[in-house]
Amino acid sequence: MTTKKALITGLTGQDGSYLAELLIAKGYQVFGLVRRSSTSNLERITHLYGDIQIVSGDLLDQSSLMDVVSECQPDEIYNLASQSYVPLSWTQPALTAEYTALGVSRLLESIRRCKPDARFYQASSSEVFGQPDESPQTERTAFRPRNPYGVAKAYAHWMTVNYRQKYNLYNCCGITYTHESPRRGTEFVFRKITHAVAQIKLGLTNELKLGNLDARRDWCYAKDAVYAMWLMLQQEQPDDYLIASGETYSVKELVECAFDCVGLNWQDYVSVDPAFYRADEPVQLVGCIEKIKMGIGWQPQYSFNQLVELMVDYDLKKLSS
Ligand code: NAP
């Protein structure tokens, strides 16, 4: 049997690093696209050195993408690279569109010209729904993005679908809801909380400032999400799926659960600061996972409580070492 080859963009990110681990374990030859940086940003993948081949390229640069796709000749391509932080998309809207929207056009053109039989996964986001008409959302819910990131992701989504229809490419979009892990940045609320709880437990700080405690999210574990991405590309026919837990929890429930893990009362440490409120708070984003569950047999393996626990444990160990 020949070894399958996969190219991952966004290798240095949360999902890229977990997906690389999964594909290596499955015997793939893994190429990871990394853009040049003056300082190392390979922290999430150092443990994979020797098992992955890093290739240089940038979603802003068409020729680098063409070179990478034609040289690697991947069987599967996972586009996880993007400017992925919603608040930044308001301060850098044009750059967000360049990476997150036009970057996908450049990649699709590279695939069409250099490896049209490659299977392609595009990381869509629940932010495309923005202010949805219905809750839970399904694959048929209308896109009504409410921030530049969501708009860019909607463009990328429809370009991926259009290239499937027009050129008969094997293209899939996974509309992922928020997914977390110990490799998530502390600017995201889930990791911000687990990290702060560990700091408080270790006496490194004594306060945690948060925004809207009633905001609800559909959270799942990044390892579960990347397994869904891989599974989507193993199907006979390409299709688009929601990747979600199908449940929501409030920030307050997350806080309670995280403080419970270390035996402390959250009310002694947490304060609300309106500066952390999101101006474009999405309305009840929660995914209906019937299609992916019934169609390809995926569902999350980790519960919300297990996820909180494993992240608090990780942060405690990391800060104590
Ligand atoms: P992440 O940790 O922010 O990683 C983003 C990756 O994109 C990084 O490797 C980054 O490289 C790379 N990148 C950014 N601009 C690039 C460019 N111009 N050229 C090449 N690479 C570039 O994101 P993530 O959490 O792993 O998410 C993976 C994907 O899923 C993203 O597309 C994100 O928008 C989407 N998504 C994520 C979630 C979630 O909850 N995590 C939910 C919905 C959708 P550097 O290291 O060089 O910055």
Side-chain angles (χ1 to χ4, degrees):
M1 211 175 86
T2 54
T3 305
K4 271 199 197 173
K5 292 193 274 186
L7 170 66
I8 302 172
T9 75
L11 176 76
T12 56
Q14 169 187 261
D15 293 4
S17 61
Y18 282 117
L19 181 64
E21 278 172 15
L22 175 74
L23 297 181
I24 290 164
K26 290 193 173 295
Y28 281 68
Q29 183 180 0
V30 177
F31 298 91
L33 184 96
V34 173
R35 59 180 168 161
R36 190 193 171 274
S37 157
S38 61
T39 51
S40 175
N41 59 355
L42 305 177
E43 192 191 326
R44 292 185 177 110
I45 52 161
T46 43
H47 61 295
L48 301 176
Y49 285 173
D51 292 323
I52 43 175
Q53 283 164 262
I54 291 177
V55 289
S56 177
D58 197 305
L59 287 183
L60 298 184
D61 184 71
Q62 180 77 62
S63 63
S64 68
L65 298 177
M66 303 264 276
D67 287 349
V68 164
V69 173
S70 61
E71 279 159 26
C72 301
Q73 289 290 297
D75 301 293
E76 295 172 14
I77 300 174
Y78 297 85
N79 181 36
L80 308 181
S82 88
Q83 189 302 92
S84 66
Y85 190 47
V86 172
L88 190 78
S89 77
W90 282 114
T91 50
Q92 300 187 358
L95 191 74
T96 300
E98 280 289 350
Y99 288 0
T100 306
L102 287 180
V104 179
S105 283
R106 295 186 191 102
L107 192 51
L108 287 166
E109 267 305 294
S110 307
I111 296 169
R112 182 174 82 79
R113 289 162 192 260
C114 307
K115 189 71 170 81
D117 64 342
R119 295 185 170 202
F120 177 66
Y121 173 88
Q122 166 58 20
S124 285
S125 162
S126 56
E127 289 289 333
V128 297
F129 296 127
Q131 186 91 39
D133 297 334
E134 55 187 2
S135 193
Q137 295 79 50
T138 72
E139 289 76 5
R140 291 177 307 284
T141 301
F143 288 6
R144 303 199 192 290
R146 291 205 306 157
N147 54 59
Y149 169 81
V151 173
K153 282 288 184 188
Y155 170 92
H157 181 102
W158 288 119
M159 287 302 281
T160 303
V161 171
N162 271 268
Y163 269 57
R164 176 168 76 215
Q165 291 164 345
K166 167 89 175 155
Y167 298 116
N168 206 23
L169 301 184
Y170 187 110
N171 287 354
C172 302
C173 294
I175 304 177
T176 46
Y177 286 62
T178 315
H179 46 279
E180 307 293 327
S181 76
R183 295 182 199 163
R184 187 75 142 150
T186 49
E187 69 273 31
F188 293 95
V189 70
F190 205 114
R191 181 81 196 291
K192 175 180 171 175
I193 291 169
T194 63
H195 191 255
V197 166
Q199 284 182 312
I200 290 168
K201 179 67 182 174
L202 296 172
L204 302 173
T205 184
N206 58 10
E207 65 169 354
L208 169 57
K209 286 187 180 168
L210 293 168
N212 182 4
L213 296 183
D214 297 323
R216 300 187 75 84
R217 295 281 183 277
D218 178 328
W219 275 296
C220 76
Y221 187 22
K223 268 194 182 181
D224 278 334
V226 301
Y227 184 75
M229 297 171 195
W230 171 78
L231 200 56
M232 282 172 60
L233 293 201
Q234 310 316 306
Q235 308 307 310
E236 210 168 302
Q237 294 301 326
D239 205 346
D240 310 316
Y241 298 92
L242 258 56
I243 302 173
S245 73
E247 298 172 341
T248 61
Y249 289 88
S250 67
V251 172
K252 190 171 158 198
E253 287 167 317
L254 167 54
V255 164
E256 280 169 347
C257 186
F259 276 92
D260 278 355
C261 291
V262 295
L264 294 174
N265 179 5
W266 69 275
Q267 281 151 320
D268 296 336
Y269 304 95
V270 174
S271 59
V272 171
D273 181 344
F276 293 110
Y277 271 64
R278 248 182 83 169
D280 57 349
E281 183 60 44
V283 176
Q284 188 67 333
L285 280 184
V286 53
C288 165
I289 56 172
E290 276 315 291
K291 180 175 172 185
I292 193 162
K293 205 167 161 182
M294 305 310 288
I296 67 173
W298 177 87
Q299 60 182 13
Q301 299 301 303
Y302 288 78
S303 70
F304 175 79
N305 285 356
Q306 285 173 313
L307 179 57
V308 177
E309 210 168 299
L310 78 84
M311 286 178 61
V312 172
D313 278 356
Y314 173 88
D315 281 320
L316 277 173
K317 284 191 190 114
K318 185 154 192 237
L319 289 168
S320 321
S321 62

